[in-house]
Amino acid sequence: MVTKFKKIIDRIEKIDPVNYAKNRNFIDGSVTKLSPYISRGVISTKYVFEKILEHKIPFYKIEKFVQELCWRDYWQLIWKERKEEINFDLRNNQENVKNHSFSKSLYEAESGIEAIDNSINELYSDGYMHNHNRMYLASIACNVAKSHWLNPAKWMYYNLLDGDWGSNALSWQWVCGSNSNKKYYANQENINKYCYTNQKNTFLDIEYSSFESLDIPENLAETIDLNLKTSMPPKSTLKIDNHKPTLIYNYYNLDPNWRIDKEYNRVYLIEPKVFDKYPVSNKCLDFSIELSKNIDGIQIFVGSFFDLINEHSIKETIYKEHPLNNYKGIRDQRDWMFESKENLRSFFSYWKKCKKELKIKNLIK
């Protein structure tokens, strides 16, 4: 995975938003693989959006791409508004839950669904899973194996380099029906089409009308309790100039261009309590540390925000807004794509407001 900032920016120039709209659901589609850098705050959805607009492509050809970027902001706005509530069934109780663990065969990539097992192995090795396969897997885990969404969602978040708890938790809830009007199902025919497999006679080789009455398949029945932990890097000594303000970076904000025009102390704050609650693999944490090296003068501090302040007598701090931040100081707003922060009950009501904003600014007709 690329970690150098210039190479990440170069990737943005190579985005093909037109083909993305045509084939994004296929495992070899024109996806950007920029999500790890958006999730870690190296680049923003707004930055990518503005770069795409520079190409002057008719909006109807890029609308699907822009809409998918907007989904990211939408999930973040819900997290910002609802806070801890996203850790529970948000709109409806998930129906027909039989366990609060995770199917052992899914955990071990031995579900018997070739495309899913391959994608789980790719997740373990590379920290990546195609978005369509995330939906397939969530559907199998929640709607077929009948696990409550929370722990399987934590497992996926733990392994994804682009892990974003808001998008992850709310997407799993969308699949299982606790944040949507119905459950999402995918049968074997659908998976074969988009993953180029040719499997038959699996537990998913059924008509959609049969899903609601489907018993838990035998090879999904055994479950495993997860023990997800993040090992903290060793503590190091910081050199803080108390004549300068201190910028606080974290797992969700590693933007090399943030307040680049002035002199600051720059600290990547790794808070054990945050990772105790929302653990990530050390592959993911190490990836974020490599990304932080794009920030000149960055220093890493392991501990709480208040430990940092007290140990180094820091008087002025600046940070970017995020639902997980429990900081004091000056808060910079995130780089949202749109000014609208209303109509969050439904994505498409929110999207309608966003399109109206684009028309007012003469960015679309």
Side-chain angles (χ1 to χ4, degrees):
M1 186 66 68
V2 173
T3 57
K4 298 295 183 184
F5 187 59
K6 186 181 182 306
K7 290 185 177 181
I8 296 168
I9 298 303
D10 288 344
R11 278 194 175 194
I12 297 173
E13 299 299 328
K14 297 175 182 176
I15 294 173
D16 186 345
V18 178
N19 272 333
Y20 173 90
K22 296 176 181 177
N23 60 31
R24 68 187 182 89
N25 286 336
F26 290 89
I27 56 170
D28 62 349
S30 301
V31 296
T32 68
K33 294 193 176 181
L34 288 171
S35 55
Y37 315 112
I38 295 174
S39 295
R40 300 288 67 80
V42 178
I43 54 177
S44 66
T45 51
K46 181 179 181 181
Y47 182 84
V48 176
F49 172 52
E50 290 176 343
K51 285 294 181 184
I52 293 300
L53 289 180
E54 287 177 4
H55 295 294
K56 306 294 185 184
I57 301 169
F59 187 76
Y60 74 91
K61 292 186 176 182
I62 64 170
E63 181 169 355
K64 176 50 74 173
F65 181 85
V66 175
Q67 192 180 84
E68 291 302 310
L69 280 178
C70 194
W71 267 105
R72 290 178 172 274
D73 275 16
Y74 176 72
W75 291 138
Q76 290 302 305
L77 287 165
I78 296 232
W79 191 8
K80 179 183 175 183
E81 179 184 273
R82 304 294 292 271
K83 300 181 175 62
E84 290 279 313
E85 292 178 38
I86 74 163
N87 295 337
F88 304 90
D89 293 1
L90 197 61
R91 291 171 56 185
N92 313 299
N93 290 330
Q94 181 183 338
E95 295 179 352
N96 207 16
V97 171
K98 301 300 183 184
N99 65 80
H100 286 75
S101 48
F102 188 40
S103 170
K104 186 171 183 287
S105 65
L106 287 174
Y107 179 80
E108 295 177 347
E110 294 180 351
S111 71
I113 308 299
E114 179 184 326
I116 299 306
D117 293 339
N118 289 342
S119 67
I120 293 170
N121 284 323
E122 184 179 17
L123 176 67
Y124 287 146
S125 64
D126 299 339
Y128 171 79
M129 183 179 289
H130 188 282
N131 189 61
H132 219 178
N133 285 16
R134 298 182 199 196
M135 293 169 61
Y136 292 152
L137 193 152
S139 181
I140 295 170
C142 297
N143 302 336
V144 179
K146 304 189 190 318
S147 298
H148 187 267
W149 65 270
L150 181 59
N151 284 312
K154 284 187 172 182
W155 163 82
M156 182 173 281
Y157 174 78
Y158 180 84
N159 287 288
L160 285 170
L161 291 184
D162 70 359
D164 178 296
W165 181 245
S167 295
N168 197 62
L170 293 166
S171 295
W172 276 76
Q173 291 203 55
W174 183 88
V175 168
C176 77
S178 63
N179 187 35
S180 58
N181 295 324
K182 61 180 181 179
K183 296 180 179 182
Y184 169 82
Y185 290 105
N187 66 9
Q188 189 66 58
E189 181 182 11
N190 185 301
I191 293 172
N192 286 343
K193 175 182 176 180
Y194 290 104
C195 299
Y196 305 112
T197 52
N198 192 32
Q199 279 195 282
K200 297 187 182 300
N201 301 318
T202 69
F203 59 81
L204 293 180
D205 196 11
I206 58 177
E207 297 297 322
Y208 282 97
S209 59
S210 301
F211 272 108
E212 286 293 341
S213 59
L214 182 67
D215 291 331
I216 299 175
E218 184 176 345
N219 65 326
L220 297 182
E222 185 178 356
T223 61
I224 184 171
D225 291 325
L226 303 173
N227 184 25
L228 305 175
K229 292 184 178 179
T230 306
S231 298
M232 292 291 102
K235 294 194 77 168
S236 57
T237 303
L238 303 189
K239 293 182 179 179
I240 299 294
D241 183 346
N242 282 314
H243 293 97
K244 301 175 185 176
T246 298
L247 296 186
I248 306 297
Y249 297 79
N250 57 36
Y251 192 63
Y252 283 92
N253 172 31
L254 295 171
D255 179 2
N257 286 331
W258 180 38
R259 289 188 176 242
I260 199 172
D261 56 329
K262 291 184 180 179
E263 289 292 318
Y264 297 95
N265 302 299
R266 299 175 187 268
V267 176
Y268 177 12
L269 178 62
I270 298 177
E271 296 185 280
K273 283 189 176 180
V274 171
F275 290 96
D276 285 346
K277 187 167 186 178
Y278 302 101
V280 301
S281 71
N282 280 85
K283 181 194 294 289
C284 294
L285 186 58
D286 290 346
F287 174 68
S288 76
I289 291 171
E290 281 300 308
L291 288 172
S292 76
K293 293 176 182 178
N294 290 296
I295 301 166
D296 288 340
I298 194 78
Q299 300 179 80
I300 294 176
F301 182 83
V302 179
S304 74
F305 172 80
F306 297 100
D307 289 339
L308 172 65
I309 299 305
N310 294 332
E311 289 178 24
H312 297 279
S313 302
I314 296 172
K315 294 179 176 58
E316 184 178 354
T317 59
I318 306 169
Y319 61 95
K320 277 192 183 181
E321 66 173 326
H322 189 274
L324 290 181
N325 293 349
N326 184 26
Y327 308 155
K328 302 289 185 182
I330 297 170
R331 184 180 68 179
D332 283 356
Q333 190 179 54
R334 286 180 55 149
D335 297 323
W336 302 104
M337 290 171 63
F338 298 100
E339 294 174 11
S340 176
K341 309 292 187 298
E342 301 172 348
N343 289 336
L344 298 180
R345 180 68 178 172
S346 155
F347 172 77
F348 288 101
S349 62
Y350 172 68
W351 175 241
K352 187 176 179 180
K353 294 273 289 186
C354 295
K355 285 187 71 175
K356 184 177 180 180
E357 189 176 314
L358 288 172
K359 290 177 181 177
I360 290 172
K361 293 179 179 179
N362 293 318
L363 293 174
I364 64 172
K365 296 180 180 179

PDB file of all heavy atoms in Angstrom, residues 28-52:
ATOM      1  N   ASP A  28     -13.064  -6.349 -10.253  1.00  0.00           N
ATOM      2  CA  ASP A  28     -11.968  -5.734 -11.005  1.00  0.00           C
ATOM      3  C   ASP A  28     -12.386  -4.378 -11.580  1.00  0.00           C
ATOM      4  O   ASP A  28     -11.798  -3.894 -12.540  1.00  0.00           O
ATOM      5  CB  ASP A  28     -11.507  -6.656 -12.138  1.00  0.00           C
ATOM      6  CG  ASP A  28     -12.604  -6.929 -13.163  1.00  0.00           C
ATOM      7  OD1 ASP A  28     -13.783  -6.582 -12.899  1.00  0.00           O
ATOM      8  OD2 ASP A  28     -12.284  -7.482 -14.237  1.00  0.00           O
ATOM      9  N   GLY A  29     -13.394  -3.764 -10.993  1.00  0.00           N
ATOM     10  CA  GLY A  29     -13.909  -2.495 -11.494  1.00  0.00           C
ATOM     11  C   GLY A  29     -12.949  -1.337 -11.246  1.00  0.00           C
ATOM     12  O   GLY A  29     -11.913  -1.473 -10.585  1.00  0.00           O
ATOM     13  N   SER A  30     -13.333  -0.176 -11.743  1.00  0.00           N
ATOM     14  CA  SER A  30     -12.473   1.012 -11.697  1.00  0.00           C
ATOM     15  C   SER A  30     -12.588   1.738 -10.361  1.00  0.00           C
ATOM     16  O   SER A  30     -12.885   2.933 -10.302  1.00  0.00           O
ATOM     17  CB  SER A  30     -12.851   1.963 -12.844  1.00  0.00           C
ATOM     18  OG  SER A  30     -12.711   1.335 -14.092  1.00  0.00           O
ATOM     19  N   VAL A  31     -12.343   0.987  -9.279  1.00  0.00           N
ATOM     20  CA  VAL A  31     -12.355   1.622  -7.961  1.00  0.00           C
ATOM     21  C   VAL A  31     -11.023   2.327  -7.742  1.00  0.00           C
ATOM     22  O   VAL A  31     -10.017   1.975  -8.344  1.00  0.00           O
ATOM     23  CB  VAL A  31     -12.623   0.594  -6.845  1.00  0.00           C
ATOM     24  CG1 VAL A  31     -14.006   0.001  -7.001  1.00  0.00           C
ATOM     25  CG2 VAL A  31     -11.567  -0.507  -6.835  1.00  0.00           C
ATOM     26  N   THR A  32     -11.011   3.334  -6.867  1.00  0.00           N
ATOM     27  CA  THR A  32      -9.828   4.181  -6.726  1.00  0.00           C
ATOM     28  C   THR A  32      -8.818   3.647  -5.724  1.00  0.00           C
ATOM     29  O   THR A  32      -7.641   3.976  -5.790  1.00  0.00           O
ATOM     30  CB  THR A  32     -10.238   5.592  -6.265  1.00  0.00           C
ATOM     31  OG1 THR A  32     -10.746   5.520  -4.926  1.00  0.00           O
ATOM     32  CG2 THR A  32     -11.303   6.167  -7.186  1.00  0.00           C
ATOM     33  N   LYS A  33      -9.267   2.881  -4.739  1.00  0.00           N
ATOM     34  CA  LYS A  33      -8.447   2.423  -3.614  1.00  0.00           C
ATOM     35  C   LYS A  33      -7.821   3.600  -2.852  1.00  0.00           C
ATOM     36  O   LYS A  33      -6.741   3.487  -2.265  1.00  0.00           O
ATOM     37  CB  LYS A  33      -7.387   1.426  -4.074  1.00  0.00           C
ATOM     38  CG  LYS A  33      -7.997   0.110  -4.578  1.00  0.00           C
ATOM     39  CD  LYS A  33      -6.979  -0.987  -4.735  1.00  0.00           C
ATOM     40  CE  LYS A  33      -7.660  -2.295  -5.145  1.00  0.00           C
ATOM     41  NZ  LYS A  33      -6.704  -3.410  -5.301  1.00  0.00           N
ATOM     42  N   LEU A  34      -8.544   4.711  -2.851  1.00  0.00           N
ATOM     43  CA  LEU A  34      -8.119   5.879  -2.083  1.00  0.00           C
ATOM     44  C   LEU A  34      -8.672   5.880  -0.665  1.00  0.00           C
ATOM     45  O   LEU A  34      -8.283   6.706   0.160  1.00  0.00           O
ATOM     46  CB  LEU A  34      -8.569   7.167  -2.782  1.00  0.00           C
ATOM     47  CG  LEU A  34      -7.825   7.556  -4.063  1.00  0.00           C
ATOM     48  CD1 LEU A  34      -8.520   8.725  -4.748  1.00  0.00           C
ATOM     49  CD2 LEU A  34      -6.374   7.916  -3.745  1.00  0.00           C
ATOM     50  N   SER A  35      -9.579   4.941  -0.378  1.00  0.00           N
ATOM     51  CA  SER A  35     -10.280   4.991   0.906  1.00  0.00           C
ATOM     52  C   SER A  35      -9.356   4.923   2.127  1.00  0.00           C
ATOM     53  O   SER A  35      -9.658   5.569   3.143  1.00  0.00           O
ATOM     54  CB  SER A  35     -11.352   3.896   0.980  1.00  0.00           C
ATOM     55  OG  SER A  35     -10.803   2.629   0.730  1.00  0.00           O
ATOM     56  N   PRO A  36      -8.218   4.190   2.103  1.00  0.00           N
ATOM     57  CA  PRO A  36      -7.360   4.220   3.297  1.00  0.00           C
ATOM     58  C   PRO A  36      -6.841   5.618   3.616  1.00  0.00           C
ATOM     59  O   PRO A  36      -6.674   5.969   4.788  1.00  0.00           O
ATOM     60  CB  PRO A  36      -6.205   3.277   2.927  1.00  0.00           C
ATOM     61  CG  PRO A  36      -6.771   2.364   1.897  1.00  0.00           C
ATOM     62  CD  PRO A  36      -7.714   3.222   1.109  1.00  0.00           C
ATOM     63  N   TYR A  37      -6.617   6.420   2.589  1.00  0.00           N
ATOM     64  CA  TYR A  37      -6.056   7.754   2.792  1.00  0.00           C
ATOM     65  C   TYR A  37      -7.138   8.757   3.187  1.00  0.00           C
ATOM     66  O   TYR A  37      -6.869   9.708   3.926  1.00  0.00           O
ATOM     67  CB  TYR A  37      -5.327   8.190   1.521  1.00  0.00           C
ATOM     68  CG  TYR A  37      -4.463   7.082   0.973  1.00  0.00           C
ATOM     69  CD1 TYR A  37      -4.769   6.463  -0.240  1.00  0.00           C
ATOM     70  CD2 TYR A  37      -3.385   6.602   1.710  1.00  0.00           C
ATOM     71  CE1 TYR A  37      -3.998   5.410  -0.709  1.00  0.00           C
ATOM     72  CE2 TYR A  37      -2.615   5.538   1.246  1.00  0.00           C
ATOM     73  CZ  TYR A  37      -2.932   4.943   0.032  1.00  0.00           C
ATOM     74  OH  TYR A  37      -2.181   3.895  -0.421  1.00  0.00           O
ATOM     75  N   ILE A  38      -8.365   8.509   2.722  1.00  0.00           N
ATOM     76  CA  ILE A  38      -9.489   9.342   3.166  1.00  0.00           C
ATOM     77  C   ILE A  38      -9.812   9.013   4.625  1.00  0.00           C
ATOM     78  O   ILE A  38      -9.989   9.909   5.455  1.00  0.00           O
ATOM     79  CB  ILE A  38     -10.713   9.126   2.265  1.00  0.00           C
ATOM     80  CG1 ILE A  38     -10.427   9.620   0.836  1.00  0.00           C
ATOM     81  CG2 ILE A  38     -11.930   9.852   2.829  1.00  0.00           C
ATOM     82  CD1 ILE A  38     -11.526   9.311  -0.165  1.00  0.00           C
ATOM     83  N   SER A  39      -9.873   7.733   4.948  1.00  0.00           N
ATOM     84  CA  SER A  39     -10.200   7.340   6.316  1.00  0.00           C
ATOM     85  C   SER A  39      -9.158   7.806   7.324  1.00  0.00           C
ATOM     86  O   SER A  39      -9.494   8.170   8.452  1.00  0.00           O
ATOM     87  CB  SER A  39     -10.350   5.817   6.413  1.00  0.00           C
ATOM     88  OG  SER A  39     -11.452   5.374   5.658  1.00  0.00           O
ATOM     89  N   ARG A  40      -7.900   7.811   6.940  1.00  0.00           N
ATOM     90  CA  ARG A  40      -6.843   8.266   7.850  1.00  0.00           C
ATOM     91  C   ARG A  40      -6.670   9.778   7.798  1.00  0.00           C
ATOM     92  O   ARG A  40      -5.780  10.324   8.453  1.00  0.00           O
ATOM     93  CB  ARG A  40      -5.518   7.580   7.534  1.00  0.00           C
ATOM     94  CG  ARG A  40      -5.502   6.043   7.642  1.00  0.00           C
ATOM     95  CD  ARG A  40      -5.557   5.543   9.077  1.00  0.00           C
ATOM     96  NE  ARG A  40      -6.814   5.819   9.762  1.00  0.00           N
ATOM     97  CZ  ARG A  40      -7.931   5.120   9.627  1.00  0.00           C
ATOM     98  NH1 ARG A  40      -7.973   4.083   8.828  1.00  0.00           N
ATOM     99  NH2 ARG A  40      -9.022   5.460  10.301  1.00  0.00           N
ATOM    100  N   GLY A  41      -7.488  10.456   7.012  1.00  0.00           N
ATOM    101  CA  GLY A  41      -7.458  11.920   6.995  1.00  0.00           C
ATOM    102  C   GLY A  41      -6.271  12.504   6.270  1.00  0.00           C
ATOM    103  O   GLY A  41      -5.970  13.691   6.419  1.00  0.00           O
ATOM    104  N   VAL A  42      -5.582  11.703   5.472  1.00  0.00           N
ATOM    105  CA  VAL A  42      -4.458  12.214   4.683  1.00  0.00           C
ATOM    106  C   VAL A  42      -4.980  13.136   3.579  1.00  0.00           C
ATOM    107  O   VAL A  42      -4.399  14.184   3.283  1.00  0.00           O
ATOM    108  CB  VAL A  42      -3.643  11.050   4.089  1.00  0.00           C
ATOM    109  CG1 VAL A  42      -2.496  11.568   3.209  1.00  0.00           C
ATOM    110  CG2 VAL A  42      -3.103  10.166   5.204  1.00  0.00           C
ATOM    111  N   ILE A  43      -6.073  12.726   2.956  1.00  0.00           N
ATOM    112  CA  ILE A  43      -6.805  13.551   1.999  1.00  0.00           C
ATOM    113  C   ILE A  43      -8.269  13.548   2.425  1.00  0.00           C
ATOM    114  O   ILE A  43      -8.693  12.705   3.212  1.00  0.00           O
ATOM    115  CB  ILE A  43      -6.669  13.025   0.548  1.00  0.00           C
ATOM    116  CG1 ILE A  43      -7.089  11.541   0.483  1.00  0.00           C
ATOM    117  CG2 ILE A  43      -5.258  13.226   0.020  1.00  0.00           C
ATOM    118  CD1 ILE A  43      -7.069  10.945  -0.905  1.00  0.00           C
ATOM    119  N   SER A  44      -9.028  14.483   1.904  1.00  0.00           N
ATOM    120  CA  SER A  44     -10.441  14.583   2.280  1.00  0.00           C
ATOM    121  C   SER A  44     -11.333  14.262   1.088  1.00  0.00           C
ATOM    122  O   SER A  44     -10.908  14.324  -0.070  1.00  0.00           O
ATOM    123  CB  SER A  44     -10.754  15.998   2.777  1.00  0.00           C
ATOM    124  OG  SER A  44     -10.621  16.940   1.722  1.00  0.00           O
ATOM    125  N   THR A  45     -12.568  13.942   1.384  1.00  0.00           N
ATOM    126  CA  THR A  45     -13.552  13.760   0.306  1.00  0.00           C
ATOM    127  C   THR A  45     -13.679  15.048  -0.509  1.00  0.00           C
ATOM    128  O   THR A  45     -13.817  15.008  -1.727  1.00  0.00           O
ATOM    129  CB  THR A  45     -14.921  13.395   0.895  1.00  0.00           C
ATOM    130  OG1 THR A  45     -15.274  14.348   1.915  1.00  0.00           O
ATOM    131  CG2 THR A  45     -14.927  12.001   1.480  1.00  0.00           C
ATOM    132  N   LYS A  46     -13.627  16.173   0.163  1.00  0.00           N
ATOM    133  CA  LYS A  46     -13.740  17.465  -0.520  1.00  0.00           C
ATOM    134  C   LYS A  46     -12.606  17.671  -1.510  1.00  0.00           C
ATOM    135  O   LYS A  46     -12.811  18.139  -2.638  1.00  0.00           O
ATOM    136  CB  LYS A  46     -13.755  18.607   0.503  1.00  0.00           C
ATOM    137  CG  LYS A  46     -13.902  19.988  -0.112  1.00  0.00           C
ATOM    138  CD  LYS A  46     -13.924  21.067   0.960  1.00  0.00           C
ATOM    139  CE  LYS A  46     -14.092  22.449   0.333  1.00  0.00           C
ATOM    140  NZ  LYS A  46     -14.091  23.517   1.365  1.00  0.00           N
ATOM    141  N   TYR A  47     -11.398  17.307  -1.105  1.00  0.00           N
ATOM    142  CA  TYR A  47     -10.237  17.462  -1.983  1.00  0.00           C
ATOM    143  C   TYR A  47     -10.395  16.608  -3.242  1.00  0.00           C
ATOM    144  O   TYR A  47     -10.173  17.078  -4.362  1.00  0.00           O
ATOM    145  CB  TYR A  47      -8.967  17.057  -1.234  1.00  0.00           C
ATOM    146  CG  TYR A  47      -7.698  17.237  -2.037  1.00  0.00           C
ATOM    147  CD1 TYR A  47      -7.058  18.467  -2.088  1.00  0.00           C
ATOM    148  CD2 TYR A  47      -7.149  16.166  -2.744  1.00  0.00           C
ATOM    149  CE1 TYR A  47      -5.899  18.630  -2.833  1.00  0.00           C
ATOM    150  CE2 TYR A  47      -5.996  16.319  -3.488  1.00  0.00           C
ATOM    151  CZ  TYR A  47      -5.369  17.551  -3.528  1.00  0.00           C
ATOM    152  OH  TYR A  47      -4.217  17.713  -4.269  1.00  0.00           O
ATOM    153  N   VAL A  48     -10.802  15.344  -3.066  1.00  0.00           N
ATOM    154  CA  VAL A  48     -10.993  14.457  -4.214  1.00  0.00           C
ATOM    155  C   VAL A  48     -12.103  14.992  -5.109  1.00  0.00           C
ATOM    156  O   VAL A  48     -11.975  15.032  -6.341  1.00  0.00           O
ATOM    157  CB  VAL A  48     -11.316  13.023  -3.739  1.00  0.00           C
ATOM    158  CG1 VAL A  48     -11.608  12.116  -4.931  1.00  0.00           C
ATOM    159  CG2 VAL A  48     -10.171  12.470  -2.899  1.00  0.00           C
ATOM    160  N   PHE A  49     -13.187  15.424  -4.502  1.00  0.00           N
ATOM    161  CA  PHE A  49     -14.334  15.973  -5.230  1.00  0.00           C
ATOM    162  C   PHE A  49     -13.920  17.175  -6.088  1.00  0.00           C
ATOM    163  O   PHE A  49     -14.247  17.255  -7.281  1.00  0.00           O
ATOM    164  CB  PHE A  49     -15.400  16.376  -4.212  1.00  0.00           C
ATOM    165  CG  PHE A  49     -16.570  17.125  -4.758  1.00  0.00           C
ATOM    166  CD1 PHE A  49     -17.299  16.650  -5.835  1.00  0.00           C
ATOM    167  CD2 PHE A  49     -16.964  18.329  -4.176  1.00  0.00           C
ATOM    168  CE1 PHE A  49     -18.389  17.348  -6.325  1.00  0.00           C
ATOM    169  CE2 PHE A  49     -18.053  19.029  -4.656  1.00  0.00           C
ATOM    170  CZ  PHE A  49     -18.757  18.542  -5.744  1.00  0.00           C
ATOM    171  N   GLU A  50     -13.179  18.084  -5.503  1.00  0.00           N
ATOM    172  CA  GLU A  50     -12.771  19.285  -6.240  1.00  0.00           C
ATOM    173  C   GLU A  50     -11.815  18.941  -7.375  1.00  0.00           C
ATOM    174  O   GLU A  50     -11.855  19.570  -8.441  1.00  0.00           O
ATOM    175  CB  GLU A  50     -12.138  20.293  -5.279  1.00  0.00           C
ATOM    176  CG  GLU A  50     -13.164  20.916  -4.337  1.00  0.00           C
ATOM    177  CD  GLU A  50     -12.558  21.848  -3.307  1.00  0.00           C
ATOM    178  OE1 GLU A  50     -11.314  21.774  -3.096  1.00  0.00           O
ATOM    179  OE2 GLU A  50     -13.310  22.634  -2.698  1.00  0.00           O
ATOM    180  N   LYS A  51     -10.971  17.956  -7.182  1.00  0.00           N
ATOM    181  CA  LYS A  51     -10.076  17.521  -8.250  1.00  0.00           C
ATOM    182  C   LYS A  51     -10.851  16.913  -9.418  1.00  0.00           C
ATOM    183  O   LYS A  51     -10.507  17.119 -10.584  1.00  0.00           O
ATOM    184  CB  LYS A  51      -9.067  16.504  -7.702  1.00  0.00           C
ATOM    185  CG  LYS A  51      -7.969  17.119  -6.856  1.00  0.00           C
ATOM    186  CD  LYS A  51      -7.079  18.018  -7.696  1.00  0.00           C
ATOM    187  CE  LYS A  51      -5.952  18.635  -6.897  1.00  0.00           C
ATOM    188  NZ  LYS A  51      -5.144  19.570  -7.700  1.00  0.00           N
ATOM    189  N   ILE A  52     -11.895  16.167  -9.107  1.00  0.00           N
ATOM    190  CA  ILE A  52     -12.721  15.574 -10.161  1.00  0.00           C
ATOM    191  C   ILE A  52     -13.444  16.669 -10.947  1.00  0.00           C
ATOM    192  O   ILE A  52     -13.534  16.616 -12.178  1.00  0.00           O
ATOM    193  CB  ILE A  52     -13.734  14.581  -9.554  1.00  0.00           C
ATOM    194  CG1 ILE A  52     -13.015  13.369  -8.957  1.00  0.00           C
ATOM    195  CG2 ILE A  52     -14.756  14.131 -10.601  1.00  0.00           C
ATOM    196  CD1 ILE A  52     -12.201  12.578  -9.941  1.00  0.00           C
TER     197      ILE A  52
END
